[in-house]
Amino acid sequence: MFDKFHEECAVVGVHGHPEAANMVYLGLYALQHRGQESSGIVSSDGDVLISHRQMGLVADVFKEDIIKNLQGASAIGHNRYSTSGQTDIKNAQPFVVEYADGPIAVSHNGNLVNANELRQQLEESGSIFQSTSDTEVIVHLIATSKEKTLTDRVVDALHRVKGSYSLVFLTTHTMIAARDPLGFRPLIVGRFRGEGERDAWVAASETCVLDLIEAEYVREVEPGEVLVFSRGGMESLKPFPEATPARCIFESIYFARPDSNVYGHSVYQYRKELGRQLARESHIDADIVTPVPDSGVPAAIGYAEQSGIPLDLALIRNHYVGRTFIEPQQHIRNFGVKIKLNAMREVLQGKRVVVVDDSIVRGTTSQKIIRMLREAGAAEVHVRISSPPTISPCYYGIDTPTHKELIASVHSVDGIRSFIGADSLAYLSREGLYTFFKGNDAGYCDACFTANYPVLADDNGKTPQLHLFEAVSRR
Amino acid sequence: MFDKFHEECAVVGVHGHPEAANMVYLGLYALQHRGQESSGIVSSDGDVLISHRQMGLVADVFKEDIIKNLQGASAIGHNRYSTSGQTDIKNAQPFVVEYADGPIAVSHNGNLVNANELRQQLEESGSIFQSTSDTEVIVHLIATSKEKTLTDRVVDALHRVKGSYSLVFLTTHTMIAARDPLGFRPLIVGRFRGEGERDAWVAASETCVLDLIEAEYVREVEPGEVLVFSRGGMESLKPFPEATPARCIFESIYFARPDSNVYGHSVYQYRKELGRQLARESHIDADIVTPVPDSGVPAAIGYAEQSGIPLDLALIRNHYVGRTFIEPQQHIRNFGVKIKLNAMREVLQGKRVVVVDDSIVRGTTSQKIIRMLREAGAAEVHVRISSPPTISPCYYGIDTPTHKELIASVHSVDGIRSFIGADSLAYLSREGLYTFFKGNDAGYCDACFTANYPVLADDNGKTPQLHLFEAVSRR
Amino acid sequence: MFDKFHEECAVVGVHGHPEAANMVYLGLYALQHRGQESSGIVSSDGDVLISHRQMGLVADVFKEDIIKNLQGASAIGHNRYSTSGQTDIKNAQPFVVEYADGPIAVSHNGNLVNANELRQQLEESGSIFQSTSDTEVIVHLIATSKEKTLTDRVVDALHRVKGSYSLVFLTTHTMIAARDPLGFRPLIVGRFRGEGERDAWVAASETCVLDLIEAEYVREVEPGEVLVFSRGGMESLKPFPEATPARCIFESIYFARPDSNVYGHSVYQYRKELGRQLARESHIDADIVTPVPDSGVPAAIGYAEQSGIPLDLALIRNHYVGRTFIEPQQHIRNFGVKIKLNAMREVLQGKRVVVVDDSIVRGTTSQKIIRMLREAGAAEVHVRISSPPTISPCYYGIDTPTHKELIASVHSVDGIRSFIGADSLAYLSREGLYTFFKGNDAGYCDACFTANYPVLADDNGKTPQLHLFEAVSRR
Amino acid sequence: MFDKFHEECAVVGVHGHPEAANMVYLGLYALQHRGQESSGIVSSDGDVLISHRQMGLVADVFKEDIIKNLQGASAIGHNRYSTSGQTDIKNAQPFVVEYADGPIAVSHNGNLVNANELRQQLEESGSIFQSTSDTEVIVHLIATSKEKTLTDRVVDALHRVKGSYSLVFLTTHTMIAARDPLGFRPLIVGRFRGEGERDAWVAASETCVLDLIEAEYVREVEPGEVLVFSRGGMESLKPFPEATPARCIFESIYFARPDSNVYGHSVYQYRKELGRQLARESHIDADIVTPVPDSGVPAAIGYAEQSGIPLDLALIRNHYVGRTFIEPQQHIRNFGVKIKLNAMREVLQGKRVVVVDDSIVRGTTSQKIIRMLREAGAAEVHVRISSPPTISPCYYGIDTPTHKELIASVHSVDGIRSFIGADSLAYLSREGLYTFFKGNDAGYCDACFTANYPVLADDNGKTPQLHLFEAVSRR
């Protein structure tokens, strides 16, 4: 509803825990912000895989009897936010199939930039496809691999795909977590300490999962690492040559939960620091600093602290808002924003206001918010964005508009200011993003700000692609 | 609920009709008796296949907006009755996938007796499976075939499978109907005459479909025949060597709707003739002839006519009965039968009654019915069955109990009589089945009465098998 | 869907049985033919009344947990078929309220012809109404009665209403069954014999309920009788002066289940006798007699027996048909009938056919059936109706069309014959209806055939009315 | 889920607007925080009332077709939070009935302390009741009033009830808003300015409704005022003698949305002032001030500003949390709180923390939060509550626990501190509540802090009562 980039998926896996499916369920609950269209869990009772996938939020998809039915000591789960309208249950994950060595399930966060070529090759060799998801390509590569063991087949398959992936696989006895060589999407590993017994293990997109289920944070799954969880515990493989990572910086800026620790850093502290840096880079005299809730709050606190301008909440968010409304036919101005945000005259009347937000994508929401602020009495509205202008789409698992729709791709900062109706507008510098890391920008992907894409579709330097398969069939 | 063999599936296809999906829907409606667990339709709009499958009856699965969404001039459909409790939506048909030449859908009635071997071979070559249905095996064989055209791939695949199949395939432009070389399961072809334009074509399990949608009956799809429907009309291929057919005689005895014409004969007239022959073979003095409704009615009319004993309805059937009930905890005798049938004292009091039914499987329902008749005043109860004793399970697409559960497999006719509590019991002779065909028994499978199985699992004479794949996963 | 009169309601009550709600549920199941729009049960656990009412069929409305929740040793139930499109859950029964003496529930089959006047009077005294049902009027009369005991209040209320009612009331300790002084609608009483303990009692619209739940038939509740069931057993009151009853003859002709015993007679035997009498009154030379299934079957058997013309089934009914269909936009002739009935050429070709049905209301279905029979080869079609022409609407609880829509009200028999396209048409005489009762027509209401209405709206001879209240609100 | 008092209801009404039901729907959306169990709207099309009520949230209860069906230029709505587990749809509002003058609907926020006596009197006069809601009592009083006009009947009825009520009535042509003489619950009136035509009017629990639908705030409905909206516009009646009002102060402290203006004051500014006053009254040396989100945020901002201690967010709230969870069987400490809140070590490690919350009811949630903060590294935890200790239940429409469950009713402040495990605990003084009003405490009800109840059940000084009617029946 808001004008934001969208994270596409959450993955969770738990191995060796007596309530594995319940733990995965709680993990998906904690990661609901990463995908709201479908949710699924597959568990292993040591004999068969048991699955439940459904369109809807975690709280609606899983009921007591369903969780009870997902028996066994290992389970993986997935939340999905679908891009391009292909909201078919067939694309819901975890994806489950049977191949020569038995059943296998997989949860995937990311996007394969060579999925189209691989699918064509596989189909030419006789493979059949039942979904439009690039995840099915990975499973076919595992099934058709000439290797013998599960681990070797997985590694073999991963060598053939390009792009971004944080993956969790489940077979009847083994769980495997894998992250692409550049580590585009986050993936962490945690542990339940066994009391005199075996430890149980957790793999998840974000650390907030561990906080909820009271597991201990071990570390990031490293870029290019493959972790194999079995009765023997956790084994680490590094089948890829080392490379400079390309961790998505937008996870830290916006996607991840503020209470998560991503890439080894507190997201909340990072966002506060972006706010402080923003105040250093583009100070302005004003009466109050106010965030666009909820994502703008940490940066606004940082901005207020650094600038000395008092923080106040001029915009109140209604958290009961669902995903759709019945709009009146008669025009209500700014309705789409008003249903979620209300601007308070008592706070704004006659004030010079600094509004802090994390990003501007199309500019449409910003325009409406600024109009609301002015109508509620703001004397001046100065917009401060805690990241650089977003000029280029993402091909690594984030739902972004096309170039043309990205306002910063077609307009100057002053053009944007004029469009959204602000008195002044300033973005954080690219360098500002890395202040918190002591200025070290190595190891991050910021292609959405720079158009420098770390992985291309092929060796000829072709731009990466989205895996937009034609629908086989529609429901 | 009743103690009967169960037909497992219905197939329908319509090609070249502006309301193809609506016609298939009506066809599935007419064939609801062949499968009540799930229903599905796939249509082609010339560009993509569009599908809807769901657990439930046809009337519940398809609503106006769903049928509207199933656009295009070709469509195929399927009703399924699942055996062995694998009631997963993944097994619902039509089955749809994408392979090298694009999307393909298939509806299948029958059972492949070598499915296990084929699946193992395919998995060893890298195929992945998503269902436990043998139909997925056929699709993999098509996808991995070395042939070039759709028709050649289909024929190639059919040469590798053994067992029973009446199949309808759909691609974006072509519909193919195919029947196994021995023609176990029925399949007929019909036509809508085009007015100065192209004809439209129908393939379906039974002719009652044609009556409802007002298409013209053309003929049976012959055993071993492959019919290809495209813009050029209907083309017939006969890729298999000729063989004596093995059409399922139980279709004529019980499965098919009485108003269908199966294998070129009126089902209703055949059943009346079985009743007449039964009267000839095992007459008894009695006051009334009464059917077990609804399936016993035509044979009872024939029996009454031939014997001269008046027909009367002593058992009334409640047609509002659903599939499940809430039973009282306190014992009600014969409850399972009483919820569907009621015996009328006014008709039965002091009467010698001939009860005509089409078959006895386990004997449990017959026992309860006879007890009800006696409690309602019947002086004598003589049971007459319009087919021979069922002594052996079916491996060709019918849901039958195991040998041990078939009462005629473990008991003599007198033992059965004693178990069900009848004063006398007589079955039709095997020869009696063929009186209507002038005694000619060539061309029919009656393995359930004789244990003579026309197709074996392999060339070593091994008994055929059911395709009971292990579940990949359960929902 | 068929062109028939419709029964509006079923009532059941069970008192003193440990599984009262389950027994009522089974009773409603057996009476599903009397109402298919909503169903409800109210039980008493001796302390409070517990209720569940819902739109839908009995099998869909009641699930195991719902029945379990309906605790207690007494319960009443209701099936409703709504007239005039007021399908509001508020009108679903049993109706439950609290008045000065505590909670009371009521199930009603019938129609009060002075409901409008009574409602107006009650509202003027301050009563508020929540439904558009005339049953709420009865409850208000009980609540505002000056009498002291429940029984006296009920009797007082019944003295103020006019029209037809078979009622079952439930309070926390007492069940009351009451039938209007003329006994328009049926109501019977049955008993479970207690083993050394108290008997349990059943009141129900039809005896088929007793057969299913294995209770013993005691007798009709007599016209004008009020039966009070309490710990002391059953007590009978007769608070009305004796009058010639006016039992609805159409119950015997069409509404009741054939296996029920209505007004002391077997419905099935009565209908067979109507067929025999019809054959006596209007014989014709023909090759076969065939019923319109299912309601025409008993009369067709009687007709065939009497006439000596063989019975055959030319029309096959599909019992899987639901309440709605998705019709093709392209014209299919007779579609509305074809979805339920199919005419068999093998039976009809070249034959002179006598078609037996129980009634013709608008004539539209008959017209389509006759067209189907001719298209399937019938040489001649002779229609025989086992009741007189229906010329006048019912105001006593039956859903009938208006005068204008009743074909026999505006056309002569020959006009009807011409409209439906038959070669000949004959109805049963009014006298023929009473042959089975030795010609004694006293005690029956046949106003739909004669327009002789036994109860008028007021003493000035005004025609009776339907209780068509304006909707308070719509959902 | 959190340990808070609960507001029981929201009311909205719109009169004279072409999209009345859509506007009421939006109003209910904005007031979802006041009731989440059921929602309903009744509209008038000038002829009949049209209603839809259902269990669930506003977004789930109303779909496009339902809103479309709620035609007409006037509509009222209601959100309900049910107390005492009586979650019957019969108690959902608006309540609709028909009485002598036609249909009437009513939405009620409040509690009648003499409902039991009135109900008994009404039943003794012959009234029947269908719900357990005290709102039905009001409707009966209107229906049985001897007055002639709607307004007179309403005023007559209101003179007989005691307790709290903000009411909106709807008939086919008139809307009436009424507030009890002491004005316990809030109720405001707004206006859509007509362009050359009639104005449209809004009555609602809070002003945030007006912001969303872009209506203009007119004023509070005054305590004891009755507003009649008809074609003639708005007419004000004051049928009660003037009295010192008793506006619920807890609305300003916690219930109302922060962006609402309640009793003429900005809720957000009031809560910030409570925080400032709290800092004045009970300063402590600390490193950060952190709110318990979301309700503690404004007071925390005020506290931080006044104290000079920096504001930081140590507790992150997950807003995707639904109403129920599947809890693991193995113990997870503080699970009930953790699913909603996470404490951040990066913010807390080694810090002395001031935690600001608005109230403590049972103390259980506070205990868990403090444990979480310490486990995340907090060196000291000082709890500051922006209202006085809650020592006494509310009888005026708020869901509060009993005396015994209110921790401040049975424990000293130090006892509470010890129970929740804080290093220090301070509450705001009663005087502090009124600082913002220049110390003027006249006109507010703070019985929950003082046990001074402004309205008693009868003239003998009996404590007020909750309207806990026995259930007539349960679903």
Side-chain angles (χ1 to χ4, degrees), chain B residues 317-373:
Chain B
R317 180 162 177 174
N318 178 9
H319 280 107
Y320 280 107
V321 171
R323 310 187 80 200
T324 51
F325 309 88
I326 304 154
E327 300 207 24
Q329 300 182 315
Q330 284 200 331
H331 190 56
I332 288 186
R333 280 168 306 167
N334 317 325
F335 180 76
V337 167
K338 282 197 129 157
I339 195 92
K340 293 177 71 177
L341 294 179
N342 197 5
M344 289 190 290
R345 173 165 304 275
E346 292 82 357
V347 176
L348 290 162
Q349 187 68 49
K351 297 281 174 55
R352 294 168 303 164
V353 182
V354 176
V355 182
V356 179
D357 204 352
D358 53 84
S359 57
I360 296 177
V361 177
R362 292 174 186 80
T364 47
T365 299
S366 302
Q367 189 187 51
K368 286 174 185 165
I369 288 173
I370 291 164
R371 201 185 300 148
M372 276 172 60
L373 292 168

Side-chain angles (χ1 to χ4, degrees), chain B residues 205-225:
Chain B
S205 295
E206 297 185 25
T207 62
C208 60
V209 169
L210 307 180
D211 295 337
L212 178 58
I213 63 178
E214 301 193 343
E216 168 189 306
Y217 176 61
V218 175
R219 60 174 174 86
E220 271 196 279
V221 178
E222 290 180 29
E225 189 175 19

Side-chain angles (χ1 to χ4, degrees), chain D residues 140-308:
Chain D
H140 276 289
L141 292 173
I142 292 171
T144 56
S145 169
K146 302 297 176 209
E147 299 295 334
K148 295 287 173 243
T149 69
L150 172 66
T151 307
D152 288 348
R153 281 170 180 268
V154 166
V155 168
D156 187 27
L158 296 184
H159 271 105
R160 297 189 55 195
V161 301
K162 288 186 179 184
S164 66
Y165 51 82
S166 285
L167 291 159
V168 190
F169 297 94
L170 184 71
T171 67
T172 50
H173 288 91
T174 306
M175 180 171 93
I176 294 180
R179 196 170 170 201
D180 67 70
L182 302 199
F184 282 104
R185 309 253 60 84
L187 191 63
I188 57 95
V189 59
R191 169 165 44 186
F192 293 97
R193 288 263 176 215
E195 296 163 3
E197 300 165 51
R198 280 192 198 84
D199 291 347
W201 296 91
V202 185
S205 295
E206 297 184 25
T207 63
C208 61
V209 169
L210 307 179
D211 296 336
L212 178 58
I213 64 179
E214 300 192 344
E216 169 189 306
Y217 176 61
V218 176
R219 59 175 174 86
E220 271 196 278
V221 178
E222 290 180 31
E225 190 176 19
V226 175
L227 291 175
V228 183
F229 302 91
S230 62
R231 281 180 66 87
M234 177 175 84
E235 183 194 4
S236 164
L237 307 176
K238 299 201 175 160
F240 296 101
E242 267 204 37
T244 306
R247 295 171 172 100
C248 170
I249 194 69
F250 224 90
E251 291 279 351
S252 300
I253 294 169
Y254 171 71
F255 297 132
R257 267 178 53 165
D259 51 330
S260 279
N261 187 308
V262 165
Y263 315 144
H265 303 289
S266 158
V267 170
Y268 174 77
Q269 299 287 39
Y270 177 68
R271 291 180 189 167
K272 271 214 309 194
E273 177 58 26
L274 295 184
R276 274 191 212 103
Q277 178 64 16
L278 186 59
R280 283 180 214 116
E281 294 187 5
S282 52
H283 181 76
I284 187 126
D285 278 335
D287 300 310
I288 61 168
V289 171
T290 200
V292 177
D294 292 334
S295 62
V297 172
I301 292 177
Y303 194 102
E305 270 182 29
Q306 182 68 30
S307 66

